Amino acid sequence: MLTRRIPSTVEPYRLAANHERLEGLVALDKLARLADEIGEQQGDAKVTLQFSLDAQRRHLIDGGVEAHLTVPCRRCLQPMDVVVSSEFQLAVVSSDALAAEVPTEYEPVLVHDEQLDLLGAIEDELILSLPQVVYHDETECAVSREQLSSGELPEESASRPDNPFDALKSLKGKL
């Protein structure tokens, strides 16, 4: 069982040079942008990070994050539990110019003064892995199928609506 807390900032260049591995927990209530997106959260996210160098001497982070989140159902707005997980590959860069050169299989992550905002990067991955739309099962949702309909459908008119091309048909025979 993981009990170690992931530090909020790290020196990724040193960790990559030593091929370090970090495993631990991140408190979900410390992630303000995630709370803005789906509401306040309880518990911890499990995080695994492997720092390394590739053949081109790029500093890389292979990581994974998993969390049990409470998100609002889009029908009834009541909370529901969702398991979110993400596997990611980050390339550590020190400028936007270097970020543009990162191969497409990696996401660039910007470092300031050789310090990486690790919690920010983990929070980004959690936000990106949130499902687009979440619904309770119909049997568990507080909103029934009948409540979702907005009324009766209007009856179709027996007569055809005016066709804007009817005028063109009458001209066709005259030319």
Side-chain angles (χ1 to χ4, degrees), residues 62-77:
D62 288 317
V65 61
E66 181 180 313
H68 294 268
L69 303 175
T70 303
V71 298
C73 170
R74 296 293 184 192
R75 278 192 208 121
C76 67
L77 301 178

Side-chain angles (χ1 to χ4, degrees), residues 30-91:
K30 303 285 186 212
L31 306 178
R33 289 182 293 127
L34 182 66
D36 290 344
E37 193 73 29
I38 59 172
E40 293 294 324
Q41 299 296 308
Q42 302 285 322
D44 297 311
K46 296 176 189 172
V47 179
T48 304
L49 303 167
Q50 178 65 54
F51 294 81
S52 62
L53 295 169
D54 69 0
Q56 288 76 33
R57 308 290 296 161
R58 278 191 286 274
H59 297 81
L60 305 175
I61 305 170
D62 288 317
V65 61
E66 181 180 313
H68 294 268
L69 303 175
T70 303
V71 298
C73 170
R74 296 293 184 192
R75 278 192 208 121
C76 67
L77 301 178
Q78 296 300 312
M80 61 183 289
D81 295 327
V82 174
V83 176
V84 174
S85 64
S86 174
E87 299 290 322
F88 52 90
Q89 292 183 309
L90 305 175

Side-chain angles (χ1 to χ4, degrees), residues 65 86-88 90 107 120-129:
V65 61
S86 174
E87 299 290 322
F88 52 90
L90 305 175
E107 278 295 315
I122 292 167
E123 185 174 25
D124 288 343
E125 292 302 323
L126 278 172
I127 291 170
L128 289 170
S129 63

